[in-house]
Amino acid sequence: MQTELSKKLGVEHAIFGFTPFPAVAAAISRAGGFGVLGAVRYTAPDDLKRDLDWVHEHTDDKPYGLDVVMPAKKVEAQGGQALSEADVEAMIPEAHREFVRATLAKHGVPELAEGEASGWRITGWMEQVARSQLDVAFDYPIKLLANALGSPPADVIERAHAHDVLVAALAGSARHARKHADAGIDIVVAQGYEAGGHTGEIATMVLTPDAVDAVAPLPVLAAGGIGSGEQIAAALALGAQGVWTGSIWLTTTEAEMHSRKLTEKLLAAESSDTVRSRALTGKPARQLRTEWTDAWDDPTGPGPLPMPLQGLLVAEAVSRIQKHEVEALLGTPVGQIVGRMNSERSVRVVFDELTRGFERAIDRVNRIAGR
Amino acid sequence: MQTELSKKLGVEHAIFGFTPFPAVAAAISRAGGFGVLGAVRYTAPDDLKRDLDWVHEHTDDKPYGLDVVMPAKKVEAQGGQALSEADVEAMIPEAHREFVRATLAKHGVPELAEGEASGWRITGWMEQVARSQLDVAFDYPIKLLANALGSPPADVIERAHAHDVLVAALAGSARHARKHADAGIDIVVAQGYEAGGHTGEIATMVLTPDAVDAVAPLPVLAAGGIGSGEQIAAALALGAQGVWTGSIWLTTTEAEMHSRKLTEKLLAAESSDTVRSRALTGKPARQLRTEWTDAWDDPTGPGPLPMPLQGLLVAEAVSRIQKHEVEALLGTPVGQIVGRMNSERSVRVVFDELTRGFERAIDRVNRIAGR
């Protein structure tokens, strides 16, 4: 499965796999795809360094990349200085804090133990943290730097190019895609409505060719709704130079999910069990629908705050829900493809099924076309 | 472009085209596709008969079909008798009528002329009207009867089969698709989130293979987001036995749109200019976003009534907006593919571009697959 972009990056198959887990990223690259490690959960540069060391040692010299979450615009105080986490905390209304407490109490969610840190942090979303991640990342031979929140700042793009690193940015519309292209990035990831995480309203079937036309000759990767070889064939027919997958790796045996119950929820979920909600970060993100998302999406409640306030507001609550595995509230960003994630298999087995399914789909369309 | 289903129906290409316009339906069939005439706007059986006569004379003996809107469940009074239109009218709250009047007044929408009938009627949605349409339709050699609102009643399916007519039903989820299959229909139209008209929340990329797996070996047609040959190739790669298109025919030269301004709005609209709203019928239907849909979707307003109340409530208002071409309020059901409908061309030109684009897409995926 070779496109201009996969040749440029030196991968066997034009399948990009985004994951927060080093073992999954390395296994995707070893299998012949392009593993992309998500950096958002690393608040300490040393932790990222440790995991990139591990990935580097376990990819058999195959290429890999890094995904950061760097806001296109800085969160600034009125004077123009960057805001600290404490400044942002101070903007959260007390009524919203009370709603968090009441919702947790309603479901009997225990406190964290004394001194136990909140595992889920929003800090990786703040520009200074993302920049410290980059200081680490450019010491490794990464081939791709992706940004999940718009184009990275111009100096970051320059720095990446100086290291021969291609820059990718996620886009939810043709207009976003053009903006990224104008900013000087190299690859657009067209993130369809059905995708997990932050996403817009235009579905992959429509968005992919829209983005391809908007930024040609820049390459577009299709994201959203892709978890089978048939879906890969569809994305490539739409003009993509590859696919950007994420959700399907969450239930692989190499994935280190923080909760067994959450893995079981993912395995049991159907396509209709996700919701595009602002509950987690303040921006619409597709995730498992839970009583937590229902509470935030309830029109009689206070509703979510804008980013980055909502993320800070719910960080500790999400950690408590996860640590105590409170089933009704336990969720995670995931796409509509969750309906096909019905068994736990190794990355290699999932990957080989993708390439076999792709070949089957090509056979099928050739038969229909009379070739 | 031949699948088992297209062979069974005797069409050259597995492209189904739904349209309210007889001239478009006939032209699709003549071009080598399968034209499906929408019956919902025919309140008088004689009008339907006149147009079916016309279609029959202009298809060069190629096959064609009919689409009705027959509710799966009857709207019944508490006693169990079928409700009349007057019974349903009586259920509409006065506050909603006042909201319609106020919204029209705000935009200075003139009244209809004395004695001028409301052109847009909901009555075709009522089962007795749909049944009178069938009494007409079965006198013609239609090959397909599609229902846009779930499985038709068992006796209608039997009657269709007795006339050698295949029955299709629209589905928005795998569960709906299975229900249709259990009811004895022959074809599932998997209607993705991005489609125009009534639609669910699961996008075509995910819904198509879900539906294929749910009802195999019954054939599935993919609907939603399909307006190019590349999108047809994608749908077929996903396992569909053909595509169900609708929106793209609205801006063909054969289409008899009631308003020139509306055609121009369609030609100018982008993929992001539609909304899934309950404003028109009470059920979520994708349509152009207008100040009319905004008014109904505004959380500070009264919000839409359930089907069939909303359709009755807004029927006259919609007619007034259309007749007087009040631009800010003027809309129509259409899918996200509206972003690709940028010029007026004949059905034949559009159709030939679909088949050429399909061949290009097959070339492309074969190159990528190294074949």
Side-chain angles (χ1 to χ4, degrees):
Chain A
M1 199 188 305
Q2 284 279 315
T3 63
E4 273 180 56
L5 179 63
S6 67
K7 285 177 205 159
K8 195 168 178 179
L9 287 168
V11 286
E12 197 183 339
H13 299 288
I15 301 173
F16 294 70
F18 163 81
T19 173
F21 308 118
V24 176
I28 291 168
S29 287
R30 281 201 311 276
F34 190 96
V36 181
L37 182 66
V40 72
R41 73 189 177 112
Y42 297 96
T43 48
D46 280 353
D47 292 343
L48 178 59
K49 193 169 154 45
R50 182 199 60 218
D51 281 0
L52 278 176
D53 275 338
W54 193 94
V55 168
H56 189 68
E57 281 160 26
H58 291 83
T59 46
D60 298 351
D61 295 324
K62 302 283 178 70
Y64 59 91
L66 192 77
D67 180 277
V68 295
V69 183
M70 188 171 266
K73 280 185 230 151
K74 273 183 220 197
V75 183
E76 284 177 345
Q78 283 199 317
Q81 325 91 296
L83 283 179
S84 71
E85 191 170 316
D87 294 333
V88 180
E89 286 273 7
M91 295 178 189
I92 296 173
E94 182 51 30
H96 280 78
R97 295 200 187 274
E98 178 48 37
F99 183 73
V100 170
R101 281 191 291 268
T103 307
L104 293 174
K106 186 179 158 194
H107 290 274
V109 181
E111 302 273 346
L112 292 179
E114 189 76 39
E116 197 175 13
S118 169
W120 196 84
R121 299 301 293 156
I122 197 68
T123 38
W125 302 72
M126 304 194 84
E127 189 179 331
Q128 54 268 47
V129 177
R131 284 187 178 271
S132 72
Q133 292 170 347
L134 293 180
D135 291 337
V136 172
F138 286 128
D139 284 342
Y140 295 81
I142 58 169
K143 295 276 183 207
L144 177 80
L145 176 70
N147 187 24
L149 272 186
S151 316
D155 68 298
V156 171
I157 297 176
E158 265 179 47
R159 199 171 157 198
H161 287 168
H163 282 86
D164 275 331
V165 173
L166 295 181
V167 179
L170 269 69
S173 70
R175 195 174 51 80
H176 291 160
R178 266 191 299 269
K179 258 179 76 176
H180 293 335
D182 292 345
I185 61 134
D186 308 290
I187 300 165
V188 166
V189 180
Q191 171 92 339
Y193 165 83
E194 54 269 64
H198 291 136
T199 184
E201 302 219 44
I202 305 175
T204 299
M205 185 68 92
V206 173
L207 178 63
T208 308
D210 273 8
V212 167
D213 288 354
V215 302
L218 279 195
V220 169
L221 298 175
I226 299 172
S228 75
E230 288 78 3
Q231 287 157 333
I232 293 175
L236 298 174
L238 295 171
Q241 287 214 16
V243 293
W244 181 267
T245 57
S247 302
I248 48 162
W249 311 108
L250 291 175
T251 47
T252 55
T253 47
E254 289 92 338
E256 291 146 357
M257 294 295 276
H258 44 72
S259 153
R260 180 67 213 164
K261 272 193 190 160
L262 181 54
T263 298
E264 279 159 16
K265 278 185 100 164
L266 288 172
L267 293 169
E270 298 186 10
S271 310
S272 51
D273 290 333
T274 72
V275 65
R276 188 171 164 269
S277 166
R278 294 171 52 227
L280 204 55
T281 68
K283 269 183 188 269
R286 185 169 302 285
Q287 53 200 289
L288 274 187
R289 183 178 167 183
T290 65
E291 291 188 36
W292 181 252
T293 62
D294 284 352
W296 286 105
D297 296 337
D298 185 342
T300 67
L305 295 169
M307 180 183 270
L309 302 183
Q310 181 73 9
L312 276 173
L313 170 63
V314 304
E316 197 207 334
V318 171
S319 288
R320 283 168 60 183
I321 293 164
Q322 289 180 348
K323 294 228 168 155
H324 297 291
E325 300 191 281
V326 182
E327 193 147 351
L329 305 177
L330 196 59
T332 186
V334 72
Q336 290 186 338
I337 199 66
V338 71
R340 309 226 139 219
M341 294 155 50
N342 303 320
S343 65
E344 285 177 281
R345 294 163 306 161
S346 70
V347 167
R348 167 64 76 172
V349 168
V350 172
F351 197 91
D352 289 350
E353 201 167 290
L354 292 180
T355 55
R356 271 200 309 273
F358 173 71
E359 297 294 335
R360 273 197 310 269
I362 303 296
D363 289 344
R364 176 180 158 79
V365 290
N366 276 322
R367 267 198 313 276
I368 293 173
R371 301 201 187 175
Chain B
M1 199 187 307
Q2 284 279 313
T3 63
E4 272 180 59
L5 179 62
S6 67
K7 285 177 205 158
K8 194 167 179 180
L9 286 167
V11 285
E12 198 183 338
H13 298 287
I15 300 174
F16 294 71
F18 163 80
T19 173
F21 308 118
V24 176
I28 291 168
S29 287
R30 281 200 311 274
F34 190 96
V36 181
L37 181 67
V40 71
R41 72 187 178 112
Y42 297 96
T43 48
D46 280 353
D47 293 342
L48 177 61
K49 192 170 155 43
R50 182 199 61 218
D51 281 1
L52 278 175
D53 275 339
W54 194 94
V55 168
H56 188 70
E57 280 160 28
H58 291 84
T59 44
D60 298 350
D61 294 325
K62 303 283 179 69
Y64 59 91
L66 192 75
D67 180 277
V68 295
V69 183
M70 187 172 265
K73 280 185 231 152
K74 273 184 220 194
V75 183
E76 283 179 345
Q78 285 199 316
Q81 325 89 298
L83 284 179
S84 71
E85 191 170 316
D87 294 332
V88 180
E89 286 274 6
M91 295 178 190
I92 296 173
E94 182 52 29
H96 280 78
R97 296 198 186 275
E98 178 50 35
F99 182 73
V100 170
R101 282 191 291 269
T103 307
L104 294 173
K106 185 180 158 192
H107 291 273
V109 182
E111 303 272 347
L112 293 178
E114 190 76 39
E116 196 174 13
S118 169
W120 196 84
R121 297 301 293 157
I122 197 67
T123 36
W125 303 71
M126 304 195 85
E127 188 179 333
Q128 54 270 46
V129 178
R131 284 187 179 270
S132 73
Q133 292 169 347
L134 293 180
D135 291 338
V136 173
F138 286 128
D139 284 342
Y140 295 81
I142 57 170
K143 294 278 184 207
L144 176 82
L145 176 69
N147 187 23
L149 273 186
S151 317
D155 68 297
V156 172
I157 297 176
E158 264 178 49
R159 199 170 156 197
H161 288 168
H163 282 86
D164 274 331
V165 173
L166 295 181
V167 178
L170 269 68
S173 70
R175 194 174 50 79
H176 291 160
R178 265 189 301 268
K179 257 178 76 175
H180 294 334
D182 292 346
I185 62 134
D186 308 291
I187 301 165
V188 167
V189 179
Q191 170 94 337
Y193 165 82
E194 53 269 63
H198 291 135
T199 183
E201 302 218 43
I202 304 174
T204 299
M205 185 69 93
V206 173
L207 179 63
T208 308
D210 273 8
V212 167
D213 288 355
V215 303
L218 279 195
V220 169
L221 299 175
I226 298 170
S228 74
E230 288 78 3
Q231 287 157 332
I232 293 174
L236 298 175
L238 294 172
Q241 288 213 18
V243 293
W244 181 268
T245 58
S247 301
I248 49 163
W249 310 108
L250 291 175
T251 48
T252 54
T253 47
E254 289 92 337
E256 292 146 358
M257 292 296 276
H258 43 72
S259 153
R260 180 68 212 164
K261 273 194 191 159
L262 181 55
T263 298
E264 279 158 16
K265 278 185 99 166
L266 289 172
L267 293 169
E270 299 185 11
S271 311
S272 50
D273 291 334
T274 72
V275 65
R276 187 170 165 269
S277 166
R278 295 172 50 227
L280 202 56
T281 66
K283 270 185 189 270
R286 185 170 300 286
Q287 52 200 290
L288 274 188
R289 183 178 167 182
T290 66
E291 293 189 35
W292 181 253
T293 63
D294 284 353
W296 286 105
D297 295 337
D298 185 341
T300 68
L305 295 168
M307 180 182 272
L309 301 183
Q310 181 73 8
L312 277 173
L313 170 64
V314 304
E316 196 205 335
V318 171
S319 289
R320 284 167 59 183
I321 293 164
Q322 290 179 348
K323 295 228 167 154
H324 298 292
E325 298 190 284
V326 182
E327 193 146 353
L329 305 178
L330 197 58
T332 186
V334 72
Q336 291 187 336
I337 199 66
V338 72
R340 308 226 140 219
M341 294 155 49
N342 302 321
S343 66
E344 285 177 280
R345 295 165 303 163
S346 70
V347 166
R348 167 64 77 171
V349 168
V350 172
F351 197 91
D352 289 350
E353 202 167 290
L354 292 180
T355 56
R356 272 201 308 274
F358 173 72
E359 297 293 335
R360 274 197 310 272
I362 303 296
D363 289 345
R364 176 182 160 78
V365 290
N366 276 320
R367 268 199 311 277
I368 293 173
R371 299 201 187 177

